[in-house]
Amino acid sequence: MKYEMILVRYAEMAIKGKNRKHFEKQLEQNIRRQLKDYADVKIKRTFGRMYIELNEEPLKEVCELLKDIFGISSFSPVVKTELNEAAIAEAALMVTRDSLNEKEGSFKVAVRRINKKFPTGSQEMNQRISKAVLIQMENLSVDLHQPDVELKVEIREEAAYISGGVIRGAGGLPVGTGGRALLLLSGGIDSPVAGYLAMKRGVTLEAIHFHSPPYTNERALQKVEDLTNILTRYGGKIKLHIVPFTESQLAIHQQIPDNCEITVMRRFMLRIAAEMAEQNNQKALITGESLGQVASQTLDSMYTINSVTAMPVLRPLITMDKMEVIEIAEKINTYQTSILPYEDCCTIFLPADPKTKPNEKKVSYYESFMDVDEYVNKAVEGIRTIELTGKREQDIEMENLL
Amino acid sequence: MIYLDNSATTKPWKSVLETYTQVSEKYFANPSSLHPLGAEAERLLMQARKQTAELLKVAPEEVIFTSGATEGNNIAIQGAVNANKGRGRHIITTAIEHPSVLRTMNHLEERGFEVTYLFPDKEGRVKASQVAEKVRKDTILVSVMHVNNETGSIQPIKEIGKVLTNHSKVLFHVDNVQGIGKVPLNIKNAGIDLLTISGHKFHGVKGSGVLFAKRNINLVPLYFGGTQERALRAGTESTAGAAALAKALRMTLDREPENRNMKNRLEKLASELSKYNEIIINSPVLRAPHILNFSVIGRKPESIVSALAEKNIYVSTTSACSSKDSEESIVLKAMGLPEERTTSSLRISLSLDTTDKEISDFLKSWKEIYYEVLKVGG
């Protein structure tokens, strides 16, 4: 006797009226993609929920992957049994044990008898199953109102289905239902988290990174590729656009007063990213900024930086404390990579006293001595794009060695 | 050849050696070098670390690559006591540890530390209650091996870890050289702070090992240099050694279900050998699946080892690391066994690759040489 399928629930989506079909389709597609290594898995949609038939594929591994798919509110492994009381009782016991994980707790049994040929009525079955489980488990009690485990038994024509444990899903909306946006990915702790949260609301992501060789090295770029690869776990393949930024940065360093350098650099980044997003038909930029975290993230700074584009800039972390961001970074597995100490383009020419209240007019005046458009266009033209799908070729080679 | 001395060392697996040579050739750069070649070597080292961590169910930064168990044990023990000697100078260990632990303890005693040696019962096992009795306010370290290298006896690591949860400042070190892949041990559940393994005991290459050192644990390094391996083990990393270890560990743990067969083979050996009147099994009933220690009363074990070697069969008198020094087994003596047993012991140790045929061939040869040796000796 074992778990043969997984029942998938998606609460928030179910209320989205006419769009529901679209959402469900996308979710099904996302689940398929996430489970592509498990060839025998089959997915079935019924009204308001989905069933994943395991067909001998490993339950635990599949569950782990489901936890990272946005749009799933919760899921439950289901046992299929023959249509007789002993088999159902045995499955009920197993499911209750697994759900409580050897701890004490309470449960309730809810039998639905769809197959009216089954000899025992659902009320009677409720009692019999409860009794059978209670006898076997010392630390178990019945609680009809707030049970730790709600054991669901469905008696159908072909078989009985028993489920109990409810595993929390990632919530949110399926990636692919929330439009397209471009993430400014630096390699630090914040931007991958911002990308993750954007995906949580269904956004399809591409990422843009500013690379300034020889001031930033291969390892820094590698780190960004790694972070992008980690993010693919939550949203499928992601395109990474690598901007050659050295020329712009050197020009800024030469032309702009030290304490405004960061502000101008950010304005350049935003211009380049916005241009790229425009070309890719993306409707927003996403950044990992959090209010007041550093000089360039004060309201004054953001105002001055943001004024170079009309493209919406989404900042999912804007009100979060650093610790809250780190907590998510650890959860989504980007933290360990983010803290690797390689210089990125934001830190190489860092002045001693960056302005926390840069004045937009002054900054524009400084920039008027530069051919901004030319630098921006050249950078955009020089963009190299790679598509990341979770693993690099070299990594697969290394894995084979291990 | 029938090789039955796998507790001394194992034969490296071919595919592990392939990894070793391929990595040595292709990823030869210094992982600390800035250039892309260095970056690739660093990345491979990182992947080896990650895989090892996953297999041990610990965090990657808790994996310190070493040159083997002797180094691992020394970094752990000396590092821990030197970092904590301000708080106390008392250490608890057992009388049946490997020389790389025991001699380190002797050295520390000369340096003014006080060491309590716990003695095992007749089954070769210390009890968690012994630790509870001996632990004091100034105890800074408890070091207990998981599986004894001579007898295969299994120490109650989890229980000792539990005792030590009430003494949160005492560090707990476990020498798991003989236990890894053979007897399951959950590092995190057992409250272990430091744990040592060695690659060549599970078909890796010599010169590679891992010290698990819990996050945030403060250790004083044995020697100083670069900041490799959390600055606990300075020196250019052996990328090939680390990769080979990660691979050997994966393959070993993949084959864990086969330990049952190994155990059956060992049981067969035990029951066949006990049919001889002069043979007494020293390994306890609760033992690891790969080690069988027994005494042949009145016989010189060395002559048996040589006689078997002539038939291309290789076994050991006592642990290889101490067998050159003394005729008496310190471990068996600590178990309180009489001299006739402590001076006549042999150790047979199996690997995952030992076959049923090798066992029956061994028993056949044993029968032949046994009476020869008896005759000569008697």
Side-chain angles (χ1 to χ4, degrees):
Chain A
M1 184 171 309
K2 58 180 187 298
Y3 294 97
E4 291 195 21
M5 36 190 223
I6 300 169
L7 165 65
V8 175
R9 305 177 194 83
Y10 34 92
E12 189 173 353
M13 282 165 50
I15 54 171
K16 297 242 168 192
K18 273 187 282 181
N19 281 329
R20 206 187 66 221
K21 238 201 168 115
H22 169 55
F23 279 71
E24 283 184 340
K25 243 189 173 153
Q26 185 68 52
L27 179 61
E28 186 185 334
Q29 205 181 316
N30 295 355
I31 294 175
R32 252 179 235 293
R33 188 190 55 227
Q34 186 88 325
L35 300 180
K36 64 177 182 306
D37 291 340
Y38 301 91
D40 291 338
V41 157
K42 286 211 166 58
I43 302 169
K44 285 188 177 159
R45 264 189 281 152
T46 63
F47 184 82
R49 46 175 60 180
M50 247 176 250
Y51 285 97
I52 298 171
E53 290 178 3
L54 287 169
N55 296 317
E56 305 296 318
E57 298 287 5
L59 172 80
K60 249 193 178 159
E61 291 168 31
V62 170
C63 284
E64 277 311 306
L65 289 170
L66 287 181
K67 280 185 196 164
D68 291 329
I69 301 176
F70 291 124
I72 296 179
S73 63
S74 69
F75 55 94
S76 302
V78 182
V79 179
K80 185 178 172 185
T81 72
E82 285 171 40
L83 282 172
N84 68 65
E85 201 183 310
I88 293 171
E90 195 187 328
L93 179 63
M94 178 175 105
V95 172
T96 313
R97 275 208 172 114
D98 288 352
S99 311
L100 282 175
N101 215 352
E102 289 176 42
K103 288 189 229 48
E104 52 184 273
S106 59
F107 85 131
K108 122 183 203 189
V109 180
V111 176
R112 277 182 67 201
R113 190 180 58 137
I114 294 143
N115 174 359
K116 299 296 177 199
K117 280 182 224 144
F118 191 80
T120 320
S122 50
Q123 280 311 316
E124 178 71 18
M125 272 302 275
N126 268 339
Q127 288 178 12
R128 289 195 193 179
I129 301 292
S130 304
K131 213 182 256 174
V133 175
L134 279 168
I135 287 172
Q136 298 287 332
M137 290 181 67
E138 261 180 34
N139 296 323
L140 186 68
S141 57
V142 175
D143 185 339
L144 295 179
H145 303 293
Q146 281 183 310
D148 296 319
V149 181
E150 187 170 353
L151 200 66
K152 293 196 174 117
V153 179
E154 280 195 16
I155 300 169
R156 290 178 172 270
E157 300 295 327
E158 70 288 358
Y161 298 92
I162 296 101
S163 69
V166 177
I167 301 166
R168 229 174 112 182
L173 299 167
V175 171
T177 63
R180 292 154 43 76
L182 185 62
L183 169 71
L184 279 76
L185 189 61
S186 68
I189 297 167
D190 301 332
S191 47
V193 174
Y196 168 84
L197 291 175
M199 286 193 285
K200 183 171 182 189
R201 297 310 294 172
V203 169
T204 304
L205 218 56
E206 290 187 13
I208 189 166
H209 176 72
F210 296 85
H211 187 41
S212 299
Y215 303 100
T216 58
N217 65 27
E218 278 297 307
R219 276 179 167 82
L221 190 58
Q222 189 54 61
K223 180 173 151 183
V224 171
E225 283 182 34
D226 289 349
L227 287 169
T228 312
N229 265 328
I230 297 171
L231 288 178
T232 60
R233 179 172 177 120
Y234 308 98
K237 58 188 173 199
I238 297 175
K239 275 187 186 155
L240 174 66
H241 308 286
I242 300 154
V243 183
F245 200 48
T246 317
E247 216 176 306
S248 306
Q249 229 181 334
L250 287 175
I252 294 165
H253 191 53
Q254 235 157 33
Q255 185 62 45
I256 306 294
D258 278 6
N259 58 5
C260 288
E261 221 179 303
I262 293 277
T263 311
V264 172
M265 189 183 80
R266 292 273 170 195
R267 282 159 64 102
F268 269 67
M269 288 176 166
L270 218 54
R271 287 182 180 110
I272 293 167
E275 177 57 32
M276 190 66 197
E278 202 78 62
Q279 287 182 14
N280 285 335
N281 199 22
Q282 284 149 336
K283 296 297 190 293
L285 301 177
I286 295 161
T287 74
E289 287 161 304
S290 155
L291 192 57
Q293 192 183 117
V294 288
S296 65
Q297 296 178 17
T298 62
L299 266 184
D300 289 275
S301 276
M302 276 194 262
Y303 175 85
T304 302
I305 294 165
N306 210 153
S307 60
V308 299
T309 181
M311 176 77 68
V313 179
L314 308 184
R315 300 176 173 89
L317 314 185
I318 196 67
T319 62
M320 282 191 198
D321 293 345
K322 194 75 185 181
M323 284 318 294
E324 295 173 272
V325 178
I326 287 175
E327 219 170 277
I328 301 176
E330 282 182 330
K331 193 184 85 184
I332 66 172
N333 216 9
T334 54
Y335 183 72
Q336 287 304 331
T337 304
S338 285
I339 57 172
L340 294 175
Y342 309 129
E343 274 206 294
D344 62 34
C345 63
C346 303
T347 53
I348 46 178
F349 298 129
L350 199 64
D353 57 340
K355 271 209 183 315
T356 53
K357 293 187 175 179
N359 180 305
E360 208 274 328
K361 289 214 173 72
K362 268 192 197 161
V363 169
S364 288
Y365 173 72
Y366 297 143
E367 279 180 359
S368 69
F369 297 96
M370 298 175 74
D371 193 343
V372 173
D373 286 348
E374 199 191 309
Y375 284 111
V376 169
N377 290 338
K378 233 175 139 183
V380 172
E381 274 163 30
I383 283 175
R384 181 168 68 92
T385 299
I386 51 178
E387 190 173 81
L388 296 166
T389 55
K391 252 174 210 161
R392 298 187 318 154
E393 244 171 70
Q394 296 99 305
D395 285 345
I396 294 168
E397 190 186 314
M398 285 182 194
E399 259 171 40
N400 291 337
L401 280 169
L402 301 175
Chain B
M1 179 176 78
I2 302 177
Y3 182 75
L4 297 175
D5 195 15
N6 289 286
S7 288
T9 193
T10 55
K11 188 176 173 187
W13 279 323
K14 261 216 173 76
S15 61
V16 171
L17 286 178
E18 274 161 21
T19 287
Y20 189 85
T21 50
Q22 279 171 26
V23 173
S24 301
E25 236 178 289
K26 188 164 176 194
Y27 300 92
F28 65 88
N30 191 324
S32 303
S33 292
L34 263 180
H35 48 67
L37 280 186
E40 284 295 302
E42 184 194 35
R43 193 170 179 85
L44 179 56
L45 185 69
M46 191 182 83
Q47 284 210 11
R49 193 186 310 283
K50 212 171 129 205
Q51 178 169 316
T52 306
E54 272 165 25
L55 292 167
L56 296 176
K57 298 196 173 74
V58 301
E61 70 264 32
E62 295 176 321
V63 170
I64 316 276
F65 285 116
T66 64
S67 68
T70 294
E71 187 181 54
N73 284 338
N74 271 275
I75 296 176
I77 295 168
Q78 298 200 53
V81 300
N82 285 328
N84 291 290
K85 60 188 172 194
R87 257 192 329 99
R89 299 179 82 84
H90 180 235
I91 306 165
I92 299 174
T93 188
T94 78
I96 58 168
E97 297 296 311
H98 186 266
S100 63
V101 171
L102 279 184
R103 300 245 165 94
T104 303
M105 294 296 176
N106 298 155
H107 165 76
L108 289 171
E109 282 179 299
E110 286 163 16
R111 293 280 177 115
F113 287 90
E114 188 188 336
V115 182
T116 300
Y117 298 92
L118 304 178
F119 279 78
D121 56 18
K122 285 232 158 22
E123 299 281 284
R125 200 171 145 90
V126 298
K127 287 183 202 66
S129 59
Q130 287 172 277
V131 176
E133 275 164 32
K134 297 293 181 192
V135 69
R136 324 189 298 222
K137 268 215 173 84
D138 62 338
T139 307
I140 50 178
L141 176 73
V142 172
S143 176
V144 178
M145 70 192 341
H146 181 209
V147 170
N148 181 263
N149 50 313
E150 285 193 35
T151 64
S153 67
I154 301 167
Q155 306 307 319
I157 298 301
K158 203 176 163 189
E159 290 77 1
I160 294 172
K162 211 170 167 193
V163 165
L164 294 177
T165 51
N166 302 326
H167 306 270
S168 58
K169 282 188 170 165
V170 181
L171 293 177
F172 185 22
H173 167 245
V174 174
D175 173 352
N176 196 29
V177 170
Q178 295 293 343
I180 185 74
K182 306 294 194 311
V183 183
L185 175 66
N186 186 322
I187 296 178
K188 293 280 153 159
N189 283 354
I192 295 167
D193 300 299
L194 298 153
L195 177 136
T196 323
I197 62 173
S198 176
H200 75 96
K201 305 284 188 187
F202 48 89
H203 308 278
V205 294
K206 273 86 181 159
S208 66
V210 164
L211 169 65
F212 155 79
K214 210 162 132 185
R215 222 183 300 221
N216 304 330
I217 271 202
N218 189 18
L219 298 176
V220 176
L222 284 184
Y223 31 82
F224 299 86
T227 54
Q228 294 95 342
E229 307 296 318
R230 267 164 67 183
L232 288 173
R233 205 265 174 189
T236 300
E237 302 93 334
S238 166
T239 312
L245 183 139
K247 183 170 192 169
L249 186 60
R250 174 180 63 75
M251 291 173 68
T252 300
L253 295 178
D254 275 353
R255 289 178 65 180
E256 230 172 6
E258 295 175 42
N259 283 343
R260 185 183 291 269
N261 308 335
M262 188 156 63
K263 192 177 166 62
N264 289 340
R265 292 183 186 116
L266 196 73
E267 294 312 316
K268 176 159 193 223
L269 266 180
S271 70
E272 290 297 322
L273 288 172
S274 7
K275 287 179 185 162
Y276 293 84
N277 279 336
E278 298 85 355
I279 291 181
I280 306 176
I281 306 289
N282 297 323
S283 290
V285 181
L286 182 68
R287 62 180 170 234
H290 63 307
I291 298 177
L292 187 71
N293 187 307
F294 56 95
S295 294
V296 190
I297 304 297
R299 296 302 114 201
K300 266 211 169 307
E302 290 80 4
S303 355
I304 299 179
V305 170
S306 323
L308 285 171
E310 273 171 36
K311 294 194 174 288
N312 219 6
I313 295 173
Y314 302 94
V315 303
S316 188
T317 49
T318 160
S319 95
C321 294
S322 47
S323 59
K324 285 170 201 155
D325 309 332
S326 144
E327 293 197 350
E328 191 172 27
S329 157
I330 295 173
V331 174
L332 298 182
K333 194 178 172 188
M335 285 161 66
L337 302 185
E339 203 185 326
E340 57 168 12
R341 278 168 75 179
T342 60
T343 54
S344 62
S345 70
L346 285 166
R347 180 187 69 182
I348 292 176
S349 44
L350 313 188
S351 84
L352 284 167
D353 296 332
T354 308
T355 61
D356 285 332
K357 184 170 182 309
E358 284 177 322
I359 296 297
S360 52
D361 285 353
F362 166 81
L363 286 167
K364 237 181 265 164
S365 300
W366 176 267
K367 200 169 186 178
E368 289 164 25
I369 65 111
Y370 188 71
Y371 291 106
E372 280 170 35
V373 175
L374 257 191
K375 256 181 258 161
V376 175

